[in-house]
Amino acid sequence: LSKLKSVSQDLYTAEDDFWKIYSWAVEKNRIESSFLKSGIKKSDFFTRNGKEFKLTDDFLEEEAADIVRNNIPNYDYVSEFVQATRKLPLGNFVSFPAEIARTGTNIVRRALKEINETIEITDGAGKVLRTVKPFQGIGYTRLFGFTTTVAAIPVATTAAFQALYDVTD
């Protein structure tokens, strides 16, 4: 039975890793596409929050990794305090809700940042050529998806099951 438990845990971890890798690739592609639509291609310079960057694969990979790290639940980020509450009579299922709270807050924060962030396209010597908002579409999509997940789907699911089982409020 212990071998079966070990195999089950390995499969669960592998599936979790697969979706994180997939999400990273999707986010990296979304970021690069947004830059391209804004007229910024690889090796171009831009200023973000007062700091100049060059658009490279390393930049895209780190930006995508930051999104995955902060917007997808990861139990390695559960605080010691939350882990310690498992010993209290509250129950031991505390890590998942804690991660949902952490990532939910981060998703909204990230979406608002993407909607409002302006990037200055520069010539590499610091001269601003023009200002764009390359992530605005991603931000609105992210915010709409989050709102749908936490507001519309629960209400619709409740209404559907009430109708299915003829139950009233």
Side-chain angles (χ1 to χ4, degrees):
L1 287 175
S2 65
K3 281 192 178 218
L4 180 62
K5 179 185 173 194
S6 177
V7 169
S8 297
Q9 285 178 329
D10 290 346
L11 288 173
Y12 176 80
T13 302
E15 180 203 14
D16 201 39
D17 290 346
F18 169 80
W19 288 113
K20 285 179 183 165
I21 292 166
Y22 173 79
S23 296
W24 174 83
V26 168
E27 292 292 350
K28 180 179 179 272
N29 186 49
R30 285 170 62 178
I31 295 165
E32 185 172 9
S33 295
S34 294
F35 272 121
L36 286 173
K37 286 178 189 171
S38 296
I40 305 171
K41 60 188 180 314
K42 284 189 183 164
S43 298
D44 284 351
F45 290 90
F46 62 94
T47 301
R48 181 186 206 189
N49 301 322
K51 186 176 177 187
E52 189 167 63
F53 293 93
K54 183 177 183 180
L55 186 59
T56 62
D57 279 328
D58 286 345
F59 176 87
L60 295 169
E61 290 168 5
E62 182 52 41
E63 196 70 18
D66 183 67
I67 293 169
V68 170
R69 186 170 35 252
N70 292 304
N71 294 4
I72 295 178
N74 183 337
Y75 300 111
D76 290 334
Y77 293 122
V78 175
S79 71
E80 288 181 24
F81 173 77
V82 171
Q83 291 176 17
T85 61
R86 292 179 186 156
K87 296 177 177 132
L88 298 173
L90 302 171
N92 59 5
F93 190 67
V94 293
S95 295
F96 180 74
E99 272 301 279
I100 294 305
R102 181 185 75 85
T103 57
T105 302
N106 288 342
I107 289 167
V108 172
R109 184 179 293 135
R110 178 79 190 199
L112 294 174
K113 176 184 169 192
E114 289 167 337
I115 290 167
N116 295 303
E117 183 175 29
T118 57
I119 289 180
E120 297 172 330
I121 302 172
T122 60
D123 62 1
K127 182 182 177 198
V128 177
L129 303 175
R130 66 187 158 103
T131 302
V132 295
K133 287 187 168 188
F135 309 122
Q136 195 170 41
I138 294 173
Y140 281 120
T141 301
R142 194 179 309 281
L143 194 58
F144 177 77
F146 180 78
T147 304
T148 301
T149 301
V150 299
I153 291 175
V155 170
T157 302
T158 300
F161 278 97
Q162 282 180 322
L164 183 66
Y165 291 104
D166 196 27
V167 176
T168 66
D169 287 336

